[in-house]
């Protein structure tokens, strides 16, 4: 079973690599990780680490949105944040866009009704999330598609993203 899963991820990674390259270079990956961790420190959540597996998953989804622009949310087992922007979007601004939902979050439990107000922010700070992988591709209309995948996913109904200090 583990060999099949490993083979599947290698196959997916190779297929994705042939389709389109992640436009995030090493400096961009470091910056997106650092900015996430700055927001996490504010609420006492532990730092995230980079995952190449999650990066491949995010790249796969970003590429699928190049082909089907109407697609916005994947069916991944991972948590997810997506951003569409103009060419030249800065990494810190992409994460800030997601984190700006902080103004709607006031420490309550996540419910089906309220999560859509702040789910991008609470995914960033979700204390039980330990890994992140992100990708950015450019579509045919010269717009950037940014995707971050998080493991384990956050925004669990009935839970809070972190314990208060």
């Amino acid at each position: 079973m583990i060999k099949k899963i490993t083979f599947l991820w290698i196959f997916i990674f190779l297929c994705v690599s042939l389709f389109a390259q992640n436009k995030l270079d090493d400096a961009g990956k470091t910056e997106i990780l650092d900015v996430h961790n700055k927001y996490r420190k504010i609420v006492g959540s532990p730092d995230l680490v980079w995952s190449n597996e999650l990066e491949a998953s995010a790249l796969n989804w970003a590429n699928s949105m190049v082909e089907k622009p109407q697609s916005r949310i994947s069916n991944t087992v991972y948590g997810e944040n997506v951003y569409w922007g103009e060419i030249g979007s800065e990494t810190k601004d992409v994460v800030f866009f997601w984190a700006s939902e902080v103004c709607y979050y006031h420490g309550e439990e996540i419910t089906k009704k309220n999560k859509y107000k702040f789910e991008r922010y609470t995914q960033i700070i979700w204390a039980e999330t330990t890994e992140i992988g992100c990708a950015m591709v450019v579509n045919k209309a010269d717009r950037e598609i940014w995707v971050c995948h998080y493991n384990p996913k956050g925004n669990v109904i009935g839970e809070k993203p972190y314990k208060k200090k």
Side-chain angles (χ1 to χ4, degrees):
M1 179 70 168
I2 292 175
K3 287 182 181 180
K4 287 181 181 179
I5 292 171
T6 302
F7 174 77
L8 178 63
W9 275 111
I10 291 170
F11 179 75
I12 290 170
F13 182 76
L14 289 174
C15 289
V16 166
S17 297
L18 293 173
F19 186 61
Q21 296 296 313
N22 188 354
K23 301 290 185 189
L24 277 177
D25 59 13
D26 288 341
K29 293 173 191 178
T30 299
E31 184 177 15
I32 207 162
L33 181 62
D34 290 348
V35 174
H36 271 77
N37 286 334
K38 285 179 185 176
Y39 285 108
R40 294 172 66 81
K41 277 185 188 356
I42 293 169
V43 298
S45 293
D47 284 351
L48 297 173
V49 296
W50 191 264
S51 164
N52 292 330
E53 181 178 314
L54 293 176
E55 177 186 345
S57 176
L59 181 57
N60 186 43
W61 185 243
N63 279 325
S64 74
M65 285 190 284
V66 168
E67 296 303 312
K68 295 181 182 177
Q70 72 279 6
S71 301
R72 298 290 176 141
I73 299 170
S74 70
N75 290 324
T76 183
V77 297
Y78 304 120
E80 180 175 82
N81 276 329
V82 176
Y83 174 85
W84 292 68
E86 302 299 321
I87 295 289
S89 298
E90 293 198 29
T91 305
K92 66 182 179 347
D93 295 333
V94 171
V95 181
F96 176 77
F97 173 79
W98 296 325
S100 67
E101 293 178 349
V102 66
C103 62
Y104 304 111
Y105 183 70
H106 306 291
E108 63 268 33
E109 287 183 356
I110 305 296
T111 67
K112 288 181 181 179
K113 189 175 180 179
N114 71 12
K115 79 176 205 169
Y116 299 104
K117 296 178 188 176
F118 44 68
E119 67 186 335
R120 292 169 195 86
Y121 167 69
T122 51
Q123 178 57 78
I124 290 171
I125 61 161
W126 199 266
E128 293 176 8
T129 298
T130 58
E131 300 176 300
I132 185 174
C134 305
M136 188 272 286
V137 298
V138 177
N139 71 8
K140 295 169 187 156
D142 285 334
R143 298 209 12 115
E144 294 177 349
I145 303 167
W146 296 69
V147 177
C148 285
H149 281 174
Y150 304 83
N151 186 43
K153 75 181 347 183
N155 294 313
V156 177
I157 302 301
E159 293 187 18
K160 293 183 178 183
Y162 60 91
K163 307 286 187 252
K164 291 203 176 200
K165 296 181 188 180

